[in-house]
Amino acid sequence: MVDATKEPARLTRKGQATRKRILGAAADLILKQGVAATHITDVREAAGVSGSQMSHYFHDKQALIKDVIAWQAESALDAHRHPELGKLDSFDAWRLWAKLITEKQAARGCAGGCEFGSLAGQLVESDPETRADIAVGYEQWLDLFRQGLHIMRDRGDLRRDADPDALAHALLGTMQGGMLLAQTLRRIDPLRDALNAAVSYLETFATERSLDD
Amino acid sequence: MVDATKEPARLTRKGQATRKRILGAAADLILKQGVAATHITDVREAAGVSGSQMSHYFHDKQALIKDVIAWQAESALDAHRHPELGKLDSFDAWRLWAKLITEKQAARGCAGGCEFGSLAGQLVESDPETRADIAVGYEQWLDLFRQGLHIMRDRGDLRRDADPDALAHALLGTMQGGMLLAQTLRRIDPLRDALNAAVSYLETFATERSLDD
């Protein structure tokens, strides 16, 4: 995947800002009205750039969508770089993860949902290349989870029969679905309850040793 | 919500079939290309009906979308009317529920995802009325889960501290997110692992009595 946060070196700081403005405008429009109804000219107008600027940064709509996906994936990962979350390698970190997500959604009245998940829901069946780009984003996210869970198992916090792959699937899947439910119902409890269930399930794999801490 | 499966009594059997064909065509197009890009004329052509037939059944696009949502919600509930699932009121029924969902998605190569969830993801931020229609569908689905969980608690299968509301949120949320992950990654394990986690979490509320059975 192209890392959309690392702009091509040739871009000036101003150029990087323009490129990000275009990506942000495109992401907003796609989330609001769907990808098919989002035309390059709409994005150009929303971002306040000229046609020649637009084609300088993104040569066509496909290129733009690819970079919007990469940019939203990177944003999703960035949200986990909270200092207290560390490497998501302790039960406390996972409880905090659930709390931070719940608080963030509650603060915005559960509107908007998960930006990356919304993009995935919109685009997953559009074409194979786009689906593959979204899949790369999810795999990076799962990797982040798996790494923390592996550390916990290696350290002896999680039992040997805990499967970091399976736990990562459960934690991310539950989060994505809980977000969609809360977003649709415009109440926080479906998300809070789903995340609580996922983290409580993770805790069923705690070793005796880690419970003594 | 209008119950889209109960056609107005004035419709003949042929009329009901035509109406369902239109709903099916509209649902397909919306899932593939998004609601904004789906025009009444496309639906009409895909369903093979005339303009006057189209306006006989659905007076405008808003009415059509409302009925597509109700129709997909009803389809989602129908999928739970498997004879062996009963009222989703036993641990065996929940294990079977997870197994049936996983097998169905695996059989279609994880493509397509959850029809109702996809519709929700597409439409949730489109307008407040549409969001409310989708919310009704999710609440009906949650009700089905809650009822089974209440029976289990009343019967003494689940401990008194088991919260049917919270468990329903966790089970449906996990299922919706697991579907999206499996759909995007085109592999079944994220869904299988997420559902296994949710049902295992439910089992942590089993009473001693129910474990002895």
Side-chain angles (χ1 to χ4, degrees):
Chain A
M1 187 175 68
V2 177
D3 183 345
T5 61
K6 293 199 181 60
E7 293 80 5
R10 70 175 190 283
L11 289 185
T12 60
R13 181 169 295 190
K14 197 177 160 204
Q16 290 174 17
T18 305
R19 185 173 173 280
K20 278 196 179 160
R21 201 164 72 243
I22 297 171
L23 284 173
D28 269 0
L29 286 170
I30 290 171
L31 289 177
K32 274 183 203 141
Q33 60 192 40
V35 71
T38 300
H39 303 287
I40 283 277
T41 49
D42 305 331
V43 176
R44 191 167 67 67
E45 280 171 27
V49 297
S50 69
S52 62
Q53 273 182 299
M54 189 73 200
S55 50
H56 173 68
Y57 294 101
F58 302 98
H59 59 85
D60 61 12
K61 186 173 168 182
Q62 184 68 33
L64 176 62
I65 289 170
K66 194 180 182 68
D67 282 5
V68 167
I69 293 168
W71 183 68
Q72 290 284 32
E74 194 59 35
S75 302
L77 293 182
D78 267 344
H80 295 78
R81 296 197 179 105
H82 184 283
E84 289 181 61
L85 288 181
K87 293 180 175 176
L88 283 170
D89 62 348
S90 71
F91 293 112
D92 283 349
W94 283 106
R95 279 281 162 208
L96 181 63
W97 167 80
K99 183 168 174 277
L100 291 173
I101 292 170
T102 306
E103 284 175 354
K104 183 179 168 189
Q105 295 306 308
R108 54 189 201 186
C110 303
C114 171
E115 287 85 355
F116 188 75
S118 300
L119 204 57
Q122 292 261 359
L123 296 176
V124 57
E125 298 297 343
S126 58
D127 64 88
E129 197 193 334
T130 301
R131 186 197 58 71
D133 289 337
I134 304 167
V136 170
Y138 271 137
E139 286 291 4
Q140 292 176 322
W141 206 340
L142 288 170
D143 276 342
L144 185 80
F145 286 12
R146 284 181 199 119
Q147 285 164 18
L149 296 164
H150 268 289
I151 295 172
M152 290 176 74
R153 196 176 64 173
D154 293 346
R155 196 196 288 128
D157 294 345
L158 289 174
R159 296 198 314 263
R160 298 307 307 169
D161 65 325
D163 176 349
D165 285 353
L167 288 166
H169 290 149
L171 287 156
L172 186 56
T174 305
M175 189 271 243
Q176 290 288 281
M179 291 284 251
L180 180 59
L181 277 190
Q183 179 186 12
T184 307
L185 299 172
R186 288 291 196 264
R187 51 190 177 83
I188 199 64
D189 47 334
L191 177 62
R192 187 199 59 211
D193 295 338
L195 290 175
N196 177 53
V199 177
S200 297
Y201 175 68
L202 173 65
E203 289 171 348
T204 65
F205 290 92
T207 54
E208 293 288 327
R209 205 208 67 163
S210 69
L211 291 174
D212 291 340
D213 287 347
Chain B
M1 186 175 68
V2 176
D3 183 345
T5 59
K6 292 202 180 62
E7 293 80 4
R10 71 175 190 284
L11 290 186
T12 60
R13 180 170 296 188
K14 197 177 159 202
Q16 291 176 15
T18 304
R19 186 172 172 281
K20 278 195 178 160
R21 199 164 72 242
I22 297 171
L23 284 172
D28 269 1
L29 286 170
I30 290 170
L31 290 177
K32 274 183 201 142
Q33 61 191 40
V35 70
T38 301
H39 303 288
I40 283 276
T41 48
D42 305 331
V43 176
R44 191 168 67 67
E45 280 172 27
V49 297
S50 69
S52 63
Q53 272 182 299
M54 190 73 199
S55 49
H56 173 68
Y57 294 102
F58 302 99
H59 58 86
D60 61 13
K61 187 174 169 182
Q62 186 66 34
L64 175 62
I65 289 170
K66 194 178 180 69
D67 282 6
V68 166
I69 294 168
W71 183 69
Q72 291 284 31
E74 193 59 35
S75 301
L77 293 181
D78 267 344
H80 295 79
R81 294 196 179 105
H82 184 281
E84 289 180 61
L85 289 180
K87 293 179 176 177
L88 283 170
D89 63 347
S90 70
F91 293 112
D92 284 348
W94 283 105
R95 279 281 162 207
L96 180 63
W97 167 80
K99 183 168 174 276
L100 291 174
I101 293 170
T102 307
E103 284 176 353
K104 184 180 167 188
Q105 294 306 308
R108 55 190 202 185
C110 302
C114 171
E115 286 86 354
F116 188 75
S118 300
L119 204 57
Q122 292 260 357
L123 296 175
V124 58
E125 299 298 342
S126 58
D127 65 88
E129 197 194 334
T130 301
R131 187 196 57 71
D133 289 337
I134 304 168
V136 170
Y138 271 137
E139 286 292 4
Q140 292 176 322
W141 206 340
L142 288 170
D143 276 342
L144 184 81
F145 285 13
R146 284 179 199 120
Q147 285 165 17
L149 297 165
H150 268 290
I151 295 172
M152 290 176 73
R153 196 175 66 174
D154 293 345
R155 196 196 288 128
D157 293 345
L158 290 174
R159 294 199 314 264
R160 299 308 305 170
D161 65 323
D163 177 347
D165 285 353
L167 288 166
H169 290 150
L171 287 157
L172 186 56
T174 305
M175 190 270 244
Q176 290 287 281
M179 290 285 251
L180 179 59
L181 278 191
Q183 179 187 10
T184 307
L185 300 172
R186 289 289 197 266
R187 52 191 177 84
I188 198 65
D189 46 336
L191 177 62
R192 188 199 58 211
D193 295 338
L195 290 175
N196 177 54
V199 176
S200 298
Y201 175 68
L202 173 65
E203 288 172 347
T204 66
F205 290 92
T207 54
E208 293 287 327
R209 203 208 68 166
S210 70
L211 291 174
D212 291 341
D213 286 349

